[in-house]
Amino acid sequence: MDRIQVRGGNRLNGQIRISGAKNAALPLMVASLLTDEPLTLASVPRLTDIAQLGEILAGLGVQIEQQPQATGSGSIGHTLKLHASTIASTEAPYDLVRKMRASFLVIGPLVARCHGAKVSLPGGCAIGTRPVDLHLKGLEAMGTEIELSDGYVIARAPKGLHGARISFPFVSVGATENLLMAAALARGTTVLENAATEPEITDLVHCLQAMGARITGTGTRTLTIEGVDRLKGASHTVLPDRIETGTYVMAVAAAGGEVELTETRADLIEAVIPLLRDAGVSIIPTAKGIKVSRNGAHYTGVDVTTEPYPGFPTDLQAQLMALMCTANGVSRITETIFENRFMHAPELTRMGADITIEHQTAVVRGVERLRGAPVMATDLRASVSLIIAGLAAEGETTVNRVYHLDRGFERIEEKLSAVGADIRRTKG
Ligand code: UD1
């Protein structure tokens, strides 16, 4: 298994190009199931999650062609042309779906287009129980019979889907995406209340609209979808990855230095900027993206609670915790989206951090410095928090089980070493 070794202490200086958003690219790829015409997606990051979803879609009959990215992007990203001229199979098997929760998104489009599907219950990061009840209740409200059998969901809608008013009891990104795609081809009007408003949802809405879907309420908690008989092909560019953007902001804040993050936008991390400015980190929007700097001055602890967008994202909670380990004073970090999402805390403690978990809150008492240690990546975002901690630590940190990292961060060692980090991958 590959490992990443980081020798801390180097300041970071230069530019880092931000990739297209993984969490936008995945549902956009699934949207290709809704039409028999090609869907072309530019700025898709090269990640194992993308490749794995590609495998699932190929098994359903989608032809996928990779095209080189526009000039100037180096080895970052690629363009995918996805063509589901016919659906060859409506079954997504356990072996593929278990690796990634987002693959469950195929169920809505398959039922909408083919009136049935058999999809394994999903796996993904080990961050607590992550049911799919909201996805299934929504599909039932739209006329689907659901049967659970041997770890599979068998969905049947012999008469096709019809519109429905669906009110989510709490915000779910995945359920909003699944039902949005299903509703695009349903008969009549669907209203999704208490829908997610994450930028990745808005990106999906824009792509579906380009494919001919009739959706209003974009960016609000109520989405109204007038189903159409068929959707057509389209070309769409994936929006920049706000989680990768926020991650590098915290990496620069932790290590010190000055880095411009390019091909991204400050508005995507609106909840992060004032918080880090309060902590003492300089963040300035530029024509190309965002400039982050911390030169010498120390930074102070902040309190934060994770929330659905536009609140502070759970996907940046681990990275913020790594940064706060060496802040002046105490930080209280409360996780409200997922249970069991503090698995990085014991690993950070191995590096000398002072963290106590009290129910949903991690109390981080800043220490003078962290010390490098062998640590274990437990999930995607936790693994990158250990790299951030390693950049700020004294000595060498070895992060084991980095396959988690490869699911979500494109060419992280290259991007960090280009700005001066001492980081390398050991194959094995
Ligand atoms: C997506 C993101 C993930 C991010 C999360 C929250 C992708 C591919 N993944 O995950 O990176 O951390 O949003 O911003 O975009 N829940 C239920 N029943 C359901 C669905 C969800 O109880 O049917 C719960 C989950 O267990 C979790 C919460 O709702 O506690 C939020 O989950 P959700 O927003 O659905 O996350 P994902 O779409 O899986």
Side-chain angles (χ1 to χ4, degrees):
M1 252 183 260
D2 289 7
R3 283 178 296 199
I4 287 189
Q5 274 149 316
V6 188
R7 182 162 287 279
N10 290 6
R11 284 172 178 266
L12 308 181
N13 286 291
Q15 280 191 339
I16 296 177
R17 187 190 169 103
I18 298 300
S19 298
K22 168 185 86 87
N23 285 354
L26 294 169
L28 288 166
M29 288 169 71
V30 172
S32 68
L33 292 169
L34 293 166
T35 172
D36 59 5
E37 294 181 17
L39 176 65
T40 303
L41 300 175
S43 203
V44 176
R46 294 172 190 266
L47 297 167
T48 54
D49 269 11
I50 298 290
Q52 254 155 24
L53 181 63
E55 239 183 277
I56 292 172
L57 293 175
L60 303 175
V62 184
Q63 286 173 305
I64 306 178
E65 257 175 61
Q66 289 192 22
Q67 298 168 349
Q69 193 81 330
T71 47
S73 58
S75 51
I76 306 296
H78 57 335
T79 294
L80 293 182
K81 184 174 166 197
L82 302 111
H83 192 185
S85 51
T86 51
I87 301 291
S89 156
T90 53
E91 183 168 337
Y94 172 71
D95 269 354
L96 296 173
V97 177
R98 75 182 165 84
K99 295 179 185 159
M100 191 194 6
R101 183 176 161 83
S103 46
F104 196 71
L105 294 177
V106 300
I107 196 165
L110 284 177
V111 176
R113 182 162 162 191
C114 307
H115 302 182
K118 181 175 174 188
V119 179
S120 168
L121 286 164
C125 282
I127 46 175
T129 331
R130 295 172 77 180
V132 286
D133 53 323
L134 300 185
H135 301 236
L136 300 182
K137 279 188 192 135
L139 287 175
E140 276 176 336
M142 295 171 77
T144 312
E145 289 160 30
I146 301 284
E147 185 190 329
L148 298 183
S149 166
D150 300 330
Y152 277 82
V153 177
I154 300 164
R156 295 187 195 92
K159 295 188 193 142
L161 294 178
H162 56 73
R165 178 172 284 271
I166 296 163
S167 186
F168 297 112
F170 50 89
V171 173
S172 162
V173 173
T176 302
E177 290 166 344
N178 219 335
L179 299 176
L180 187 57
M181 289 191 278
L185 283 184
R187 268 189 332 277
T189 305
T190 300
V191 180
L192 300 180
E193 290 170 342
N194 201 21
T197 59
E198 268 65 3
E200 294 76 19
I201 304 269
T202 302
D203 207 37
L204 177 63
V205 169
H206 288 156
C207 180
L208 291 171
Q209 285 170 331
M211 293 166 73
R214 296 176 60 194
I215 304 169
T216 54
T218 316
T220 73
R221 290 261 175 251
T222 305
L223 291 168
T224 304
I225 306 112
E226 303 279 349
V228 294
D229 288 341
R230 65 182 303 272
L231 292 172
K232 55 187 183 351
S235 292
H236 179 85
T237 300
V238 179
L239 95 164
D241 195 317
R242 65 195 167 96
I243 303 304
E244 192 195 23
T245 303
T247 299
Y248 286 120
V249 166
M250 296 200 210
V252 178
E258 179 170 299
V259 172
E260 184 179 22
L261 307 175
T262 66
E263 307 290 319
T264 187
R265 304 193 324 247
D267 65 283
L268 293 173
I269 55 161
E270 249 167 20
V272 177
I273 294 177
L275 190 82
L276 288 199
R277 280 187 182 147
D278 282 352
V281 180
S282 159
I283 305 180
I284 301 166
T286 65
K288 291 184 191 162
I290 302 167
K291 191 180 278 180
V292 195
S293 55
R294 187 176 68 79
N295 286 310
H298 220 69
Y299 55 98
T300 51
V302 288
D303 293 343
V304 75
T305 299
T306 62
E307 283 166 356
Y309 190 84
F312 188 90
T314 174
D315 285 351
L316 286 173
Q317 178 258 106
Q319 297 89 318
L320 181 76
M321 193 184 297
L323 175 64
M324 289 301 129
C325 288
T326 47
N328 280 338
V330 180
S331 315
R332 298 176 65 83
I333 302 178
T334 303
E335 172 60 55
T336 67
I337 309 291
F338 292 112
E339 52 185 273
N340 199 17
R341 209 181 198 185
F342 283 141
M343 287 179 299
H344 40 284
E347 300 300 309
L348 292 168
T349 306
R350 287 173 52 73
M351 298 175 70
D354 180 349
I355 304 171
T356 330
I357 307 291
E358 295 169 1
H359 307 290
Q360 287 177 287
T361 301
V363 181
V364 187
R365 291 182 180 76
V367 295
E368 188 61 30
R369 65 178 56 84
L370 297 176
R371 286 178 309 277
V375 286
M376 189 89 85
T378 49
D379 70 52
L380 173 53
R381 311 303 177 184
S383 55
V384 83
S385 77
L386 300 173
I387 294 199
I388 293 175
L391 291 171
E394 208 169 62
E396 188 159 281
T397 298
T398 304
V399 184
N400 294 292
R401 291 201 187 162
V402 294
Y403 55 85
H404 289 295
L405 209 56
D406 296 332
R407 290 184 45 205
F409 289 92
E410 189 176 28
R411 299 184 182 273
I412 187 165
E413 318 91 274
E414 279 173 42
K415 289 188 183 189
L416 282 173
S417 47
V419 292
D422 183 347
I423 178 168
R424 63 197 175 281
R425 180 181 291 249
T426 318
K427 294 272 175 199

